[in-house]
Amino acid sequence: SAVISQKPSRDICQRGTSLTIQCQVDSQVTMMFWYRQQPGQSLTLIATANQGSEATYESGFVIDKFPISRPNLTFSTLTVSNMSPEDSSIYLCSVVRDNEQFFGPGTRLTVL
Amino acid sequence: AQSVTQPDIHITVSEGASLELRCNYSYGATPYLFWYVQSPGQGLQLLLKYFSGDTLVQGIKGFEAEFKRSQSSFNLRKPSVHWSDAAEYFCAVKSGGYNKLIFGAGTRLAVHP
């Protein structure tokens, strides 16, 4: 299994500001994933983060809005930039181990 | 393009009744299939997965799912539902060589006492 922690667990932010979400895994992984779950919706992949290279973004997501860092094999951050109320979602970090995908507890973001 | 369809947005069952949640996928090759559960305020927990082999897979919490290639389905079942099973259930598919998960819209399960 994989133990994943995220910080913060929740936050309320003002529009126009930015929030950085941290994801820590209990052991080294090659790829880390960031998902978004909008209210009442399913999960959508934002990007895949490999250590030492630029993140790969899915259609509809751009680096300027969701910059990602991956400084080592156990840690990643996702920043939600210039926030608007439409960014209110749960953001989840995920890793794959032994062909199984594990998810962090999520960060619940509310933008006013 | 790969996709996952969960036709039932919301299902209500009585405690002790049987349960079947439907999942249909669209994928060209043999899919890797998953069922996750998300309880209120909780993260996602893997219930079971199918990669190959026996098409009837057993998972945690008494759940099972059957892969039917001819119907492109991977329905989740439980013979007797408990009140604690009330949650959101997500079916997901992953390509064999790429770790991106594509999720269905989810089915919200309510359990009546």
Side-chain angles (χ1 to χ4, degrees), chain A residues 25 27-32 50-51 70-75:
Chain A
V25 188
S27 60
Q28 295 181 348
V29 291
T30 304
M31 287 190 285
M32 297 178 76
N50 287 334
Q51 194 266 335
R70 183 78 200 276
N72 58 54
L73 291 173
T74 62
F75 187 80

Side-chain angles (χ1 to χ4, degrees), chain B residues 9-72:
Chain B
I9 297 173
H10 190 232
I11 285 182
T12 300
V13 299
S14 298
E15 191 168 17
S18 63
L19 172 70
E20 183 170 30
L21 302 183
R22 296 183 291 166
C23 173
N24 292 97
Y25 66 90
S26 172
Y27 184 67
T30 299
Y32 288 9
L33 295 159
F34 305 81
W35 275 100
Y36 285 87
V37 60
Q38 186 178 40
S39 299
Q42 303 294 312
L44 281 166
Q45 182 180 24
L46 179 68
L47 286 175
L48 46 78
K49 60 189 176 187
Y50 172 79
F51 291 165
S52 65
D54 193 346
T55 56
L56 183 64
V57 294
Q58 303 296 319
I60 62 171
K61 304 185 179 187
F63 285 93
E64 67 178 25
E66 186 170 12
F67 170 62
K68 293 185 177 181
R69 184 187 300 275
S70 62
Q71 298 177 20
S72 298

Side-chain angles (χ1 to χ4, degrees), chain A residues 31 37 42 58 99-101, chain B residues 36 38 46 99-101 104:
Chain A
M31 287 190 285
Q37 185 178 21
S42 186
E58 297 297 307
N99 269 324
E100 184 172 328
Q101 195 143 2
Chain B
Y36 285 87
Q38 186 178 40
L46 179 68
N99 288 307
K100 173 182 175 179
L101 277 181

Side-chain angles (χ1 to χ4, degrees), chain A residues 8-21:
Chain A
S9 59
R10 60 176 61 226
D11 208 341
I12 300 174
C13 301
Q14 298 297 318
R15 73 169 65 214
T17 62
S18 298
L19 176 71
T20 295
I21 303 168

